[in-house]
Amino acid sequence: MSRAHVLDLVGTLARLGLAAILLVSGTLKAIDLDQTVVAVRAYDVLPRGAVDVVAAVLPFLEIALGLLLLLGIGTRLVAVVSGALLLVFIAGVAQ
């Protein structure tokens, strides 16, 4: 197997792994939106009004990003958006 094929395989596995994480995370949040509000509020970094908006949008954003990655649509752009979202999560946890 050539180096290019190995890199393609690693990239595909990373894309599918991130898709799975986003799909599971988004689905769990969408199933219990009240608990999602509690979780977003617990980070204590957003104004009260923004908590409800973020908690309402976040699950469906994660599901959309996961589906796009799974289907391989707009892979680079979706990867950048997903990476930015993960950095926001890391900053929230580190805060």
Side-chain angles (χ1 to χ4, degrees):
M1 188 177 269
S2 72
R3 177 176 161 88
H5 284 92
V6 170
L7 291 176
D8 284 344
L9 179 62
V10 169
T12 299
L13 291 174
R15 176 175 60 87
L16 294 176
L18 181 55
I21 291 167
L22 289 169
L23 287 169
V24 170
S25 177
T27 300
L28 291 173
K29 287 180 180 99
I31 288 171
D32 191 355
L33 289 174
D34 291 334
Q35 187 59 39
T36 301
V37 171
V38 171
V40 172
R41 188 175 295 128
Y43 282 104
D44 199 29
V45 294
L46 296 173
R48 190 165 184 82
V51 168
D52 292 334
V53 173
V54 169
V57 171
L58 184 60
F60 304 102
L61 175 63
E62 289 179 349
I63 291 169
L65 292 172
L67 286 173
L68 290 170
L69 284 173
L70 184 65
L71 298 172
I73 299 171
T75 307
R76 287 195 173 119
L77 177 61
V78 174
V80 169
V81 173
S82 299
L85 183 62
L86 291 174
L87 286 175
V88 169
F89 289 153
I90 291 168
V93 170
Q95 181 262 354

